[in-house]
Amino acid sequence: MQASQRDRAVAAATEIATSSGLPVDDAVVLHASNALTLRLLPCDVVARVSVRDVEQAQRELDLATTLAAVAPVVALDPRVPVRAHVRGEFVVTFWAHEVDSGQLPTPDDYAHALLLLHQGMRSPDLTLDAPRFTGRVDAARTLLLDRTRTPDAPDDVRGTVLDALAGAVAMIDRAGRPEQLLHGEPHPGNVLSTPAGLRFVDWETCCRGPVELDVAHAPDEVAQHYPGLDPAVLHACRIVMYALIVTWRWDRDDRLPDRERLARVWFAELQALLDDPAPG
């Protein structure tokens, strides 16, 4: 979300919360990227504000509502009507604020929480029609092939990332691993450590694919504690993950701070994976 939109986004979240009877004197920014995540005080509710279509926001709400009973996820706040609230160009959803325990998750805890999440996402009650992960790969290819949208990407980076995506997806397809509904980006920034255990947030990137794709977003040590992974597929999924986040950072519209430095750092990680033979 652009800086010029933030004041209006905060005003939209505040207006909806107060109209639901919640007192709001302050809004603390918890996270700012394509969406804005706010903690509204003193009512202590988390508002997620984005510029996108209502249907997408409603799909996230439906998923979170179903998962709340079967998986370690952050719940919706019951004090605000559970729906995608629209104010001007913004869509706002409201979530319970989870207290941070201040403890870093161990790899074993992280893997166990991710396993529980995946088990919950296989629930027959979930009917979310999420796209296969290759939809995100196609979006990245489109960005890289359009130099007007990725004008600062060096030519060697552009070619390497395109080749890496093609090779990794082909390997995943050949492996034929079972596929299911996934979080899409369960990296540490989307995992909260609470006194009740780890909780996952942010369902914007839900997709279908092998569980190795989700595990690839977690710290490397987590994979050692997640049962039944295919090492070669995990290696290919890590290539896909780094190729995607490198591509997003070269997008001219990306708003992540320090994006060009991060693009170089993550491209080095991608190159290391490409230079390292796949297991098996």
Side-chain angles (χ1 to χ4, degrees):
M1 182 178 295
Q2 298 182 16
S4 61
Q5 295 175 302
R6 287 194 187 181
D7 287 347
R8 298 197 306 277
V10 170
T14 299
E15 178 186 337
I16 297 166
T18 55
S19 67
S20 298
L22 301 183
V24 180
D25 296 329
D26 192 17
V28 179
V29 177
L30 300 179
H31 184 69
S33 57
N34 292 330
L36 188 65
T37 304
L38 306 166
R39 182 183 179 189
L40 304 182
L41 297 169
C43 62
D44 208 12
V45 64
V46 172
R48 181 172 167 80
V49 190
S50 59
V51 183
R52 59 182 174 191
D53 65 84
V54 177
E55 289 184 6
Q56 170 64 24
Q58 190 60 53
R59 282 194 294 269
E60 293 182 33
L61 293 175
D62 293 343
L63 176 61
T65 300
T66 303
L67 283 177
V70 294
V73 303
V74 171
L76 295 159
D77 194 299
R79 295 173 296 172
V80 184
V82 178
R83 65 172 184 268
H85 299 263
V86 179
R87 285 295 186 279
E89 74 235 72
F90 301 109
V91 180
V92 188
T93 53
F94 292 89
W95 307 78
H97 176 251
E98 295 275 5
V99 178
D100 186 349
S101 69
Q103 300 294 317
L104 292 176
T106 67
D108 184 54
D109 288 341
Y110 205 132
H112 181 64
L114 194 53
L115 180 63
L116 291 177
L117 177 66
H118 288 154
Q119 290 172 345
M121 296 185 93
R122 292 195 290 270
S123 168
D125 294 333
L126 282 177
T127 58
L128 182 69
D129 185 22
R132 193 169 186 248
F133 75 95
T134 46
R136 302 186 73 207
V137 172
D138 291 341
R141 285 177 176 145
T142 298
L143 270 176
L144 290 168
L145 292 171
D146 187 347
R147 293 176 182 272
T148 65
R149 297 178 64 191
T150 51
D152 299 322
D155 286 343
D156 59 337
V157 169
R158 198 183 301 271
T160 298
V161 173
L162 285 167
D163 290 344
L165 286 170
V169 170
M171 187 279 155
I172 294 168
D173 287 343
R174 287 195 303 271
R177 291 282 285 168
E179 298 191 356
Q180 68 158 83
L181 188 64
L182 302 174
H183 181 287
E185 287 188 355
H187 53 68
N190 283 332
V191 182
L192 302 181
S193 183
T194 78
L198 301 185
R199 296 289 183 267
F200 291 90
V201 298
D202 192 354
W203 308 103
E204 188 175 3
T205 54
C206 276
C207 61
R208 294 189 178 274
V211 295
E212 285 85 353
L213 189 66
D214 266 0
V215 177
H217 285 78
D220 290 352
E221 299 82 2
V222 171
Q224 301 170 21
H225 300 270
Y226 193 108
L229 298 176
D230 183 313
V233 173
L234 178 61
H235 185 269
C237 286
R238 283 179 172 147
I239 289 174
V240 169
M241 184 269 292
Y242 276 110
L244 290 178
I245 61 177
V246 166
T247 302
W248 308 146
R249 300 297 75 79
W250 286 118
D251 182 356
R252 70 181 181 195
D253 295 326
D254 185 56
R255 302 302 174 191
L256 195 68
D258 207 16
R259 68 181 184 88
E260 291 190 14
R261 183 190 67 82
L262 289 172
R264 291 191 293 270
V265 169
W266 290 336
F267 180 72
E269 296 284 353
L270 172 63
Q271 191 65 67
L273 284 168
L274 295 172
D275 293 340
D276 183 25

